[in-house]
Amino acid sequence: MNERLTRRERSAPRLFLLTAVLLLVPASASAAWREAGDVRTVTRQADGVVLLLTSGARVAVTFRDLETVRVRLAPSGRFERDFSYAVESKDRKTVAANVAETPDEIRLSSLNGTTVVIKRRPFLVAVKDAEGRTVVEDDLAHPVVFDTETGAVEMSKRRAEWETYYGLGEKAGPTFYLNSQRFVMWNTDTYGYPRGLDPIYQSIGFFVALRREQGRGLAYGLFLDNTSRTFFDMGKTDPSRLHIGAAGGELNYYVFTGGRERAPRAVLRDYTDLTGRAPLPPLWALGNQQSRWSYFPEARVREIARRFRETRIPADVIYLDIDYMDGFRVFTWDRSRFPDPARLISDLRAEGFRVVLIIDPGIKVDPNYHVYKEGQAGGHFVKTAAGAELHATVWPGVCAFPDFTDPKARDWFGSYYRQHLDEGVAGFWNDMNEPGVFLSEETPKPDLYHHPMKTFPLDARHAADGQPGTHARYHNVYGMQMARATFESNRRLRPGARPFVLTRAGYAGVQRYSAVWTGDNVASWDHLRLSVTMLLNLGVSGVPMVGADVGGFSGNPSPELYARWLQAAALSPFFRSHSEQVSKPHEPYSFGDEFTAVNRRTIEMRYRLLPYLYTVFHEHTKTGAPVMRPLWFEYPSDERTYMADDQYLVGRDLLVAPVVVEATTKRRVYFPRGDAWLDWWTGRRYEGGTDAEIEAPLDRLPLFARVGAVIPTQPVVQHTGEMLKTPLTLVAARGGAGTSSFYEDAGEGYEHLRGASRTTTAALEPGRLRLTRAGAYAVSRPLAAVEFLGVETAPGEVRADGRPVANPAFDAASRRLVVQLPAAAVGEITGVP
Ligand code: MIG
């Protein structure tokens, strides 16, 4: 605790200076830089070419997909085994490349016209789209270089000054877009990180570039797949280029051209085709989640559950943080605090609550602790350079750490989840897996965010799935491999249920295993704003299930800040309130009666929209599109969307404009060009390409539906277990034509992969709505009503399948016409004004 207080008291500028000095040390350590040189020999292969350069480096330039180019450069001239933690293992596609050589160039093209032009002297790569436009190209003045002493490797890509960049995973940058900033990938436990601090917990070296040319938005994506420390200088040092490099290993990167369209959607599709998509989460994980460091003992946990139900605030999940354990030993319980966990969990379950447990990587060194003993006997712990068991201090005291890069250690660690699964635990939360460890008394101070001793020594050894190497090389995948161990063991041990895993650290591809939260944020208005851009950037980095601690982890939000944060997060993918030990209560009912009502309304809104949110998650599994989307993702031709950092889309059809400024009850909203929008609450119409001042009283989240969309909703339920019993209501945003569809399945298990799902397509036209259903999902939820939004005048006769509907309810103030439907499945509604 002491450490924390001192840190908070320190002045920010000094901290930044010290941090900067620390980060510079490795860069200036040595210098034996060498240029990659000219192309000496060319070897053709089916999907591209392998080049030998005059420096001795070897390069493979291949098509990974029709619109994805891969460049792999081994400074040593020898490629390593082609293995990646980021790439989802599945059958490689065979993508044929057409190769043409001239004295100056080598040209590769894929079937649909994507082309790579390789200059021979010196070796330079330019990628062109099917229309012949340059996607991205090496900077003539800065060819690829590598350092023969340190193993570092760097490249530079030319950048158009007006190009903007997004993604790079979890970044707390000063602005939403990444332009003119320099980022480092090195997973770090950064309690209370101020805006601008970098790196933090995750390492995802993928970004999306966007620029407007001839009236259209052109996107591309670039992913550097290198697990060692990497950097991305997005024009900070030199505005004319992107400067990207790694501390060691191969320069191994992919360019996603976005196809002929050059659409962000296509870039994300191809990036997630490579690194995988998040599986459909269990429905309960989309519910409201309540956490705290920590709820204990058992009576307190029961009280939390009871209070939610008493106050009629919907919730699905309660988290148990580190204090449930016996002396912080993972896979144990403190029996004085939790005498009968299985009983507690089943009682909570009867009230509609699931329990998620935190599981940290550190295993207490204690000869009487079975997990330690078995881990030691099995040789599952990370070793020092000298081959001894690596020890470092975390919550339990001195710990050993499973080598999650070793498949045997993953299986071994994973097997302990069985006990908790048998107790009925629903999901697991992996923390401290950067890995983060504590500084000891003897560690040289000051205690900086990026103190090198807050993780394993760089020369510690990892098995790395058959490619053994140092911690310097595998640090950034440690957390992701822990989440993988958790996910895979849950899949194996409880095959009928969808795992739920939450991780703090990760690497590209983490979405295949886990949800991600943005770590130890702060109860401030600025952090509320920051959470929006952080989640958006994570989403376009391929990770859909993301959230920030609502209300801020560190510190105490005012009731107003908590209420506004809850609203801003209510439609974010992963929705959880969490706060640190010393903070005041952060439950939505703990800010006084007036705010309990406000917060209830917010959470009810999320539950109303769960059928829609679930549909958007399903869309992610098919296309890789984020759930929470920046405006530019759908409107790349509208350059006003490029800087929109305090509004977001959920799926394609909902626009959210949270209030992120203190003491305000209105805000300006920008409506992207190309669609018109209806105010969710008033039904008022706003044209695309315009701004408007929107009323936002304390109990209201500014929310808009895209004209032409049909959005599935349900009545308020107290938890997702009640959903299947409730009928659906469709909200049809009238005033233009459009087709939407929504997805339903059991919300759990894997029957949906065997056809047990249903997709309903809704075609909205002036005066008419048509519904068609496809799929064999048996537990069909009836459709109770359609709410037409944006109706200005009272209707004449509304008909369902030709028969008049009794008493459609029209409310002029909210421009809503509610049409109750008969029990039989309706195919067509007509007569809507
Ligand atoms: O050293 O488990 O980010 O969410 O409550 C702090 C206690 C360890 C850090 C996590 C936070 C969690 C806390 N953990």
Side-chain angles (χ1 to χ4, degrees):
M1 228 57 265
N2 263 345
E3 174 193 318
R4 307 236 135 125
L5 293 176
T6 18
R7 199 191 288 156
R8 225 179 293 155
E9 280 159 17
R10 238 177 247 140
S11 72
R14 198 178 130 218
L15 234 173
F16 277 124
L17 201 73
L18 288 167
T19 308
V21 168
L22 209 83
L23 287 173
L24 280 176
V25 175
S28 54
S30 97
W33 289 105
R34 206 160 160 185
E35 291 194 358
D38 301 343
V39 174
R40 204 154 72 189
T41 66
V42 180
T43 311
R44 298 189 186 198
Q45 50 183 57
D47 57 353
V49 292
V50 174
L51 314 171
L52 185 63
L53 307 186
T54 48
S55 61
R58 204 175 294 267
V59 194
V61 183
T62 53
F63 281 98
R64 195 272 164 188
D65 209 333
L66 285 174
E67 287 151 3
T68 306
V69 174
R70 180 182 183 193
V71 178
R72 199 180 166 196
L73 185 148
S76 68
R78 280 180 313 277
F79 291 122
E80 292 192 325
R81 176 170 67 108
D82 194 7
F83 168 78
S84 163
Y85 282 109
V87 175
E88 185 170 43
S89 58
K90 55 184 174 194
D91 296 340
R92 286 293 169 92
K93 299 175 182 163
T94 329
V95 182
N98 194 338
V99 182
E101 292 184 58
T102 69
D104 294 330
E105 290 177 357
I106 305 144
R107 280 178 169 262
L108 315 183
S109 47
S110 78
L111 268 174
N112 72 345
T114 306
T115 303
V116 189
V117 181
I118 304 167
K119 286 241 175 338
R120 293 179 190 260
R121 284 171 301 273
F123 163 73
L124 292 169
V125 175
V127 178
K128 308 209 179 261
D129 66 19
E131 311 264 295
R133 288 174 300 224
T134 297
V135 177
V136 62
E137 60 185 345
D138 285 344
D139 184 344
L140 255 170
H142 299 91
V144 171
V145 292
F146 50 86
D147 186 320
T148 51
E149 263 169 40
T150 63
V153 53
E154 298 183 3
M155 66 174 172
S156 291
K157 298 288 180 193
R158 290 185 50 168
R159 67 168 292 236
E161 214 181 317
W162 61 92
E163 200 165 60
T164 49
Y165 306 95
Y166 309 88
L168 291 184
E170 182 190 59
K171 290 298 176 195
T175 53
F176 172 30
Y177 48 88
L178 311 173
N179 301 31
S180 309
Q181 298 164 56
R182 185 180 191 276
F183 298 96
V184 167
M185 300 298 171
W186 187 255
N187 293 355
T188 310
D189 174 3
T190 45
Y191 169 81
Y193 56 92
R195 185 190 277 269
L197 189 80
D198 186 74
I200 55 171
Y201 309 93
Q202 297 262 334
S203 291
I204 304 177
F206 167 70
F207 65 82
V208 180
L210 188 58
R211 66 170 184 269
R212 211 173 114 95
E213 233 171 70
Q214 292 158 351
R216 286 189 40 206
L218 302 180
Y220 77 85
L222 191 148
F223 170 43
L224 175 64
D225 188 5
N226 184 310
T227 61
S228 39
R229 188 188 195 96
T230 56
F231 71 85
F232 294 79
D233 187 324
M234 312 304 281
K236 180 176 188 182
T237 312
D238 178 354
S240 69
R241 62 180 166 127
L242 304 173
H243 186 201
I244 297 168
E250 293 179 2
L251 181 69
N252 175 21
Y253 69 95
Y254 299 81
V255 173
F256 306 90
T257 65
R260 201 173 285 268
E261 289 277 288
R262 301 287 307 279
R265 178 173 283 282
V267 171
L268 261 288
R269 178 198 64 206
D270 290 346
Y271 171 72
T272 55
D273 185 68
L274 181 73
T275 62
R277 296 179 184 141
L280 206 50
L283 184 57
W284 61 263
L286 302 192
N288 175 35
Q289 317 203 16
Q290 184 64 43
S291 183
R292 176 170 182 86
W293 177 14
S294 305
Y295 290 131
F296 72 87
E298 160 174 338
R300 173 95 175 107
V301 180
R302 289 181 188 273
E303 180 201 326
I304 298 296
R306 198 182 62 240
R307 294 279 280 135
F308 270 93
R309 296 297 179 245
E310 275 170 10
T311 55
R312 305 289 294 162
I313 296 181
D316 265 82
V317 192
I318 296 183
Y319 281 65
L320 299 187
D321 205 329
I322 51 177
D323 299 289
Y324 74 85
M325 292 179 268
D326 171 17
F328 306 115
R329 290 169 184 82
V330 287
F331 307 113
T332 69
W333 290 91
D334 178 331
R335 294 283 167 175
S336 65
R337 292 169 177 172
F338 294 92
D340 189 350
R343 172 86 187 273
L344 169 68
I345 291 166
S346 80
D347 289 352
L348 291 171
R349 191 75 176 73
E351 298 298 320
F353 279 98
R354 256 107 176 162
V355 171
V356 171
L357 292 186
I358 197 168
I359 296 285
D360 285 355
I363 310 281
K364 187 178 179 70
V365 173
D366 169 357
N368 298 316
Y369 171 34
H370 69 292
V371 181
Y372 176 68
K373 274 191 301 193
E374 289 155 15
Q376 193 182 43
H380 296 309
F381 296 128
V382 174
K383 308 276 184 312
T384 66
E389 194 174 280
L390 179 112
H391 288 175
T393 302
V394 207
W395 291 105
V398 177
C399 288
F401 298 84
D403 183 1
F404 291 109
T405 71
D406 179 349
K408 290 197 302 294
R410 285 198 296 271
D411 278 357
W412 164 75
F413 187 83
S415 68
Y416 290 103
Y417 285 104
R418 175 182 293 278
Q419 176 205 332
H420 287 324
L421 292 171
D422 289 347
E423 288 158 352
V425 175
F428 299 96
W429 168 24
N430 291 157
D431 186 24
M432 302 298 287
N433 55 354
E434 292 68 30
V437 303
F438 298 163
L439 293 184
S440 74
E441 296 299 313
E442 302 85 58
T443 311
K445 301 291 188 300
D447 173 4
L448 303 162
Y449 281 104
H450 297 105
H451 196 294
M453 299 197 61
K454 281 186 169 173
T455 192
F456 300 167
L458 295 183
D459 60 359
R461 312 293 306 170
H462 289 280
D465 287 82
Q467 196 121 282
T470 60
H471 190 65
R473 176 160 178 187
Y474 292 112
H475 172 84
N476 284 339
V477 294
Y478 188 81
M480 173 194 188
Q481 294 310 299
M482 181 186 190
R484 174 186 180 180
T486 307
F487 178 87
E488 289 179 345
S489 77
N490 277 236
R491 273 301 280 126
R492 197 169 56 237
L493 297 171
R494 197 172 49 183
R498 303 178 194 170
F500 174 75
V501 183
L502 175 64
T503 183
R504 195 169 69 178
Y507 181 73
V510 66
Q511 68 272 7
R512 302 198 297 274
Y513 310 118
S514 187
V516 167
W517 98 103
T518 58
D520 297 342
N521 61 356
V522 178
S524 70
W525 289 90
D526 189 52
H527 254 275
L528 164 54
R529 284 184 285 273
L530 181 60
S531 74
V532 175
T533 57
M534 287 180 73
L535 299 182
L536 288 173
N537 276 321
L538 266 163
V540 296
S541 305
V543 192
M545 184 59 164
V546 292
D549 288 350
V550 171
F553 176 72
S554 152
N556 295 304
S558 66
E560 183 196 356
L561 174 56
Y562 182 84
R564 289 306 199 185
W565 202 317
L566 201 68
Q567 287 172 354
L571 296 174
S572 70
F574 171 65
F575 183 40
R576 183 184 75 149
S577 291
H578 179 55
S579 56
E580 71 176 329
Q581 263 175 329
V582 295
S583 64
K584 294 190 186 136
H586 270 50
E587 296 80 31
Y589 52 74
S590 50
F591 296 92
D593 288 349
E594 182 203 345
F595 284 93
T596 299
V598 169
N599 296 337
R600 178 188 303 115
R601 202 178 138 103
T602 301
I603 295 170
E604 286 179 350
M605 177 190 67
R606 180 179 180 92
Y607 277 78
R608 281 211 174 87
L609 283 161
L610 279 183
Y612 176 72
L613 257 180
Y614 193 61
T615 292
V616 182
F617 271 93
H618 180 255
E619 184 197 342
H620 166 85
T621 68
K622 297 293 171 197
T623 68
V627 171
M628 177 169 169
R629 297 177 191 166
L631 271 50
W632 57 256
F633 188 82
E634 298 290 350
Y635 302 93
S637 301
D638 176 359
E639 75 279 22
R640 287 255 344 243
T641 64
Y642 293 14
M643 313 271 155
D645 59 1
D646 62 354
Q647 302 179 208
Y648 63 89
L649 297 166
V650 179
R652 198 164 62 112
D653 298 334
L654 286 181
L655 171 66
V656 182
V659 172
V660 291
V661 176
E662 189 169 15
T664 14
T665 50
K666 50 171 89 113
R667 61 156 288 171
R668 285 198 85 70
V669 177
Y670 177 65
F671 299 96
R673 201 162 59 221
D675 278 309
W677 299 85
L678 300 181
D679 187 306
W680 188 260
W681 313 108
T682 67
R684 194 169 149 185
R685 179 181 170 116
Y686 296 92
E687 299 306 322
T690 67
D691 299 86
E693 184 118 292
I694 302 294
E695 292 299 324
L698 189 61
D699 65 348
R700 186 188 292 181
L701 171 71
L703 177 64
F704 306 87
R706 197 172 56 82
V707 163
V710 174
I711 295 162
T713 71
Q714 65 184 10
V716 170
V717 290
Q718 294 305 303
H719 59 88
T720 55
E722 293 179 349
M723 272 175 70
L724 296 180
K725 287 175 265 164
T726 63
L728 294 167
T729 293
L730 301 182
V731 175
R734 215 219 103 259
T739 304
S740 354
S741 60
F742 64 93
Y743 173 86
E744 293 170 87
D745 66 19
E748 179 52 289
Y750 292 90
E751 286 304 309
H752 65 293
L753 300 178
R754 289 180 280 275
S757 69
R758 185 169 74 168
T759 299
T760 306
T761 303
L764 191 60
E765 301 163 14
R768 177 151 77 167
L769 173 67
R770 261 182 302 189
L771 300 170
T772 46
R773 299 167 180 89
Y777 180 44
V779 193
S780 63
R781 298 174 70 185
L783 185 57
V786 180
E787 244 178 73
F788 291 89
L789 188 58
V791 179
E792 301 280 350
T793 54
E797 191 168 70
V798 177
R799 290 168 175 265
D801 286 339
R803 277 182 289 276
V805 175
N807 306 323
F810 176 59
D811 177 37
S814 63
R815 298 178 179 84
R816 261 184 169 74
L817 173 70
V818 182
V819 179
Q820 302 291 341
L821 298 179
V826 165
E828 189 178 55
I829 300 167
T830 48
V832 180

